Amino acid sequence: MAASRLSGTENRLVSLPLSRIRVIMKSSPEVSSINQDALFLTAKATELFVQYLATYSYKHGRGKEKNALTYTDLSHTAEECETFQFLADILPKKILASKYLKMLEKEKRDGEMREDDGGEEEEDEDEAVVESVVS
């Protein structure tokens, strides 16, 4: 497909706004110019990926029960499916703010306890892991 032929039909072939995709692509310091064909193919590949992620999450989540795709379905897919694990940081599981604050407080207490012990506990844990691997 030549770039001149794409311009008239590209809006019908992709749903994502090409101008936004161009801006995202140009935000990379390594990119100086973007070929129209590359822009179109990136948009189409992105659409297909999002469609696959949504379909997979719907089929393997609770989507069928509720007849809806939820954020929880997407985050579960990102966490459990090896193919989508690179999205785990982008789609974390939702937790309540109160639960998060408790987790932070616990981590803070654990960190203080480790500092008081002088790091001996971490060394013992490392030795136990090495011993179990060797055994």
Side-chain angles (χ1 to χ4, degrees), residues 4-134:
S4 60
R5 285 186 277 161
L6 276 178
S7 59
T9 61
E10 66 190 5
N11 289 334
R12 287 181 269 153
L13 297 175
V14 293
S15 300
L16 296 174
L18 296 177
S19 59
R20 297 277 185 167
I21 294 171
R22 181 181 289 113
V23 168
I24 293 169
M25 291 173 76
K26 282 196 168 194
S27 69
S28 175
E30 297 92 32
V31 176
S32 58
S33 66
I34 300 166
N35 181 322
Q36 194 67 15
D37 290 338
L39 178 64
F40 172 77
L41 291 173
T42 301
K44 195 63 181 174
T46 303
E47 282 185 13
L48 293 172
F49 172 76
V50 170
Q51 181 180 15
Y52 179 67
L53 172 64
T55 303
Y56 186 94
S57 298
Y58 180 82
K59 286 181 180 177
H60 293 90
R62 294 185 182 160
K64 287 185 177 179
E65 297 169 13
K66 297 179 182 179
N67 202 22
L69 178 64
T70 64
Y71 179 87
T72 305
D73 295 333
L74 293 169
S75 66
H76 180 73
T77 297
E79 188 175 301
E80 300 297 324
C81 180
E82 188 176 330
T83 304
F84 298 112
Q85 281 184 348
F86 72 98
L87 295 172
D89 292 338
I90 298 168
L91 295 168
K93 283 193 171 186
K94 283 186 176 180
I95 60 171
L96 296 174
S98 58
K99 205 175 206 180
Y100 179 71
L101 291 173
K102 287 178 185 177
M103 285 173 38
L104 285 177
E105 187 63 35
K106 183 178 184 240
E107 286 178 11
K108 184 179 177 183
R109 283 193 312 262
D110 290 347
E112 288 172 359
M113 289 177 65
R114 286 189 186 129
E115 287 176 7
D116 292 342
D117 292 343
E120 292 174 19
E121 194 173 294
E122 290 178 5
E123 290 174 13
D124 292 341
E125 289 176 7
D126 290 344
E127 288 175 12
V129 170
V130 170
E131 288 177 4
S132 66
V133 170
V134 172

